[in-house]
Amino acid sequence: MKKKRVTVEDVAQAAGVSLMTVSRAMNGREGIGEETRARILEIAREMGYRPSQIARSLATRQTATLGLVVPDVSNPFFAHIARGAEDAAYENGYSVFLLNSAEEAARERSALDSLWQKEVDGVILCSSRLPQDELQVYFERFPRMVLVNRDLVRPQSSVATINVDDRAGAEMAVRHLVQTGRGSIALIAGPETSVSGQRRLAGYKSGLAAASRSFDRQMVEYCPPTTAGGLQATRHLLEAHPEVDAILAYNDLVAVGALQACKGLGRDVPARVAVIGVDDIPLASLVQPMLSTLGVNQYEIGRAATCLLLEMFSDETLPGQAQVIQPELVLRETG
Amino acid sequence: MKKKRVTVEDVAQAAGVSLMTVSRAMNGREGIGEETRARILEIAREMGYRPSQIARSLATRQTATLGLVVPDVSNPFFAHIARGAEDAAYENGYSVFLLNSAEEAARERSALDSLWQKEVDGVILCSSRLPQDELQVYFERFPRMVLVNRDLVRPQSSVATINVDDRAGAEMAVRHLVQTGRGSIALIAGPETSVSGQRRLAGYKSGLAAASRSFDRQMVEYCPPTTAGGLQATRHLLEAHPEVDAILAYNDLVAVGALQACKGLGRDVPARVAVIGVDDIPLASLVQPMLSTLGVNQYEIGRAATCLLLEMFSDETLPGQAQVIQPELVLRETG
DNA sequence: TTGTAGGCGTTATCAG
DNA sequence: CTGATAACGCCTACAA
C-alpha cells in the first residue's frame, strides 16, 4: 500500500547508468558529462526522486541539522532568537531542531542527549542552567556549540559564546536611576539560578556602589521570569517597602508585571516609581505607559549564533570566539 | 583527533556477546535473559553508548521526528503553538524540526521538501498558503499530516485538521458590536491570501447580513499581519472614513496597531471606536486599554496537533479527523 | 568519464 | 534465549 521511496538505484536503472553516476549528478560533483548530468537530473525530477538525508547522513556523518535549545519559545525573547537562527539556517541549507528546556535541568539534559543521539552538526544552547562540569561533557559530544547567555570558564576550540553584557547594562540602568533622583532602587531579580540574572545582580550592586550607596538585600526579590512572577514579586516588595521609587526588572515580562503591580497599588509610574526592564521585546513599546528597557536585537543574536556555528564549521582553525553585545538603554515613558 | 562514536559492536565486544543481543537489551525487547540485559545495560552506560538515531532510522524507516511549519515563530500565536507541540512531542520521545514559511509560498514549499528529505514521521502545517492541488502532493509524500487553520476539500485518511471557527467568531464579534450600538463596523482583514482571513471576512459579512446591514467593501482594508500593518491600515481607513466607530481586526497584533492608530488620530477607544482582535495572545491583556478579542488556547492547539499526529500513528484505522475549535469572545475595555 | 566494492550503525529475519 | 547475515540508501575510494 505504502508507496516505496524512489532511490538512486531506481533512477540509475531508469537512466541506464550506475548509481554512482546518479549520485554525482545529484550532488553537482565533477567528473561527469554535462549532457549526462542534465539527462539524469531530468529523469530524477520526473520520478520525484529526493536523496534520503538519512542514508546520506549515515554515509557522510553529517546531518545538515542544528539543534536549538531555549528555555521557552513562547517567551518573545527566545521566539525572536529562534526566528533569527532558523532564517540563517535556512539560507545555508540547514534544518533546526527546536527544544524547550523549560527552565529545568533535567529537561535540558534530555534535550541535549536527544540532539546527541540525532547527531546534529552543531548546537545553540541558550541560557543553560547546567553546571560547568556537566556542560563540559556536551562540549566533547558535539562537533561545535554556541552558548548564548552563558560564559565559558576556559576557552574551548569547538565552543563559541554570545553574551549580552548584562552586568554593564544593569549598572548603566542603576546609574541612570540615581541621576534622575531615585532614592530607593529595587531589583526584581528573576530566577535565582539564572546566570544572566546573577550578572544583572552584580551590575545592580556595582551601580549602587558607584553612587556610594549601600546594597540592601531586602531590595532584591526573586521570581519566575514571567509577567505573573513580576506582578507578585513587585506587590510583595512594595508592600514590605513602600519607600521604593525605582525598579530594575529581570526582563521586560517581569517589568510589565511590575507595572501592573504598581497600578494595582495605586503607585503612579513613573511619577512615583520608575521601572526599567531588559530585552526590549515588542511588548515593551506596546504597553501603556511604554517601558524603558535595556535593549538588544534578539533576531540578530539568533542569526549570529547560527552563523558562528557555520563558520566554525568551515574554519577549523577559528578559535572559540566570545562575542559580547552591549545593551542599549532605551528610555521611554517609565524610566 | 575526533572521538570515534561508540557503537553496538564495541559494546557487544566488551560484553562478550553478539551485537543483536546488545540491540535487544537496549530496546527492551523480548527474548533475552534479565541478568544478561542488566549486565549489558550497565556496560553500555559505562562506555557512554547511545544508539545512533540515524542508523536506526535507516533500518526502521522511522525517525522519531516531526516537522512543524509555521508562518513565523516570532508571532506569539505560533510561538505558543510551537511550545505546545514540542511539549507533547517531548513527552512521547519525539523531536521537532521548526520551519518558518515567512508567509511565502516558495519558502513553505522549500520547508516541506526539506522535511520530506529528512523523512519525518509526520508534519504539522500551520496556516498553509499553498493551493489545494499542491498540498495534495504533500499528503502523499508524508505518512501523516495535521493541518492547522486550513480546511480539506475532501477527507484524506492520513490527514487531520484543527480549525478555529473563524467565521463563527467573526460573526459573533460583529453581532456584539451591532448590539452595543455601533453603526459603522470596519474590518482590518490581514493578508488577502490568508485562509483564516477569508473565513473572518465571511463571518464579518454574515454578521452584517444578520443585522440587515449591507456590506461595503470600502470598509475592508488588507494589511500584513503585524502591529505595523494594523497601524497603517487603520490610519488609512480612518482618514478615508471618519464615520467608522468599530473595528474588527485580523488578529491581536493588527488590533494593537489599530489601537495605536486610534490614539494617534485622537479617537478615544472604546468611546469613539470599539476594537476587537483575534487570538487572545498575552499581549491583549497587557496593552492599555486592554483588548477585547476572540480567544483560543494556542498552547492547547499545539499539543492537540502533536497528539493527533501520534494517534494517527497507532490507530491505522482512524480516519482523518477534523477538529473545530470555537473561539470565545473575551470582552475587555475596548469592546 | 564511469563503474565496482566496501562500509556507515542499526534492526529484521531466520537459524541454532 | 542467542547469533549470523542481509538489508536500509547513500558515499568514499579505487579501479577500469
Side-chain angles (χ1 to χ4, degrees), chain B residues 32-41:
Chain B
I32 176 176
E34 266 319 313
E35 38 194 300
T36 321
R37 151 164 305 146
R39 192 169 57 83
I40 291 178
L41 251 34

Side-chain angles (χ1 to χ4, degrees), chain A residues 270-281:
Chain A
R272 179 79 172 71
V273 180
V275 177
I276 295 184
V278 177
D279 288 349
D280 198 18
I281 61 178

Side-chain angles (χ1 to χ4, degrees), chain B residues 18 20-21 24 31-33 61:
Chain B
S18 84
M20 268 320 294
T21 307
R24 283 192 261 259
I32 176 176
R61 315 250 31 147

Side-chain angles (χ1 to χ4, degrees), chain A residues 74-319:
Chain A
S74 66
N75 177 329
F77 183 77
F78 295 111
H80 286 266
I81 287 185
R83 178 61 138 96
E86 205 270 315
D87 277 5
Y90 168 72
E91 287 161 16
N92 292 279
Y94 281 76
S95 298
V96 359
F97 277 122
L98 174 72
L99 295 294
N100 295 93
S101 62
E103 331 262 352
E104 293 162 20
R107 184 148 169 200
E108 184 177 336
R109 263 189 287 272
S110 162
L112 291 169
D113 288 343
S114 156
L115 289 173
W116 176 38
Q117 191 158 358
K118 290 267 189 332
E119 289 172 88
V120 295
D121 295 336
V123 171
I124 300 171
L125 177 58
C126 299
S127 306
S128 174
R129 301 275 165 90
L130 295 181
Q132 277 291 343
D133 57 341
E134 223 177 310
L135 272 184
Q136 189 65 40
V137 175
Y138 292 106
F139 294 163
E140 279 148 24
R141 283 200 202 316
F142 295 112
R144 20 233 129 203
M145 240 173 135
V146 168
L147 258 37
V148 174
N149 267 354
R150 174 87 191 221
D151 297 299
L152 228 43
V153 178
R154 60 201 159 109
Q156 306 271 334
S157 66
S158 66
V159 184
T161 62
I162 301 183
N163 277 282
V164 174
D165 197 339
D166 295 292
R167 190 184 187 290
E171 186 174 325
M172 173 167 42
V174 170
R175 279 173 191 274
H176 172 262
L177 290 169
V178 169
Q179 280 167 12
T180 50
R182 302 294 169 171
S184 178
I185 305 170
L187 177 69
I188 306 293
E192 197 156 1
T193 54
S194 161
V195 172
S196 54
Q198 286 157 12
R199 294 200 290 234
R200 277 163 217 162
L201 175 59
Y204 167 78
K205 285 182 183 173
S206 64
L208 246 30
S212 309
R213 302 215 186 154
S214 61
F215 167 72
D216 176 3
R217 74 171 46 170
Q218 299 286 314
M219 291 290 110
V220 176
E221 191 87 21
Y222 292 97
C223 69
T226 60
T227 301
L231 170 63
Q232 179 153 0
T234 304
R235 190 179 284 153
H236 183 257
L237 178 87
L238 251 31
E239 278 164 357
H241 300 278
E243 75 277 15
V244 167
D245 62 0
I247 291 172
L248 176 58
Y250 174 71
N251 66 18
D252 287 342
L253 257 21
V254 168
V256 168
L259 246 33
Q260 294 176 329
C262 289
K263 195 178 180 193
L265 293 171
R267 302 280 210 294
D268 186 60
V269 175
R272 179 79 172 71
V273 180
V275 177
I276 295 184
V278 177
D279 288 349
D280 198 18
I281 61 178
L283 173 60
S285 57
L286 296 176
V287 290
Q288 205 56 256
M290 290 195 289
L291 190 60
S292 292
T293 189
L294 291 161
V296 292
N297 188 329
Q298 302 113 206
Y299 178 82
E300 286 304 332
I301 290 180
R303 284 197 84 89
T306 295
C307 291
L308 258 181
L309 222 46
L310 299 181
E311 279 169 26
M312 297 169 80
F313 208 72
S314 44
D315 284 354
E316 280 297 345
T317 61
L318 196 82

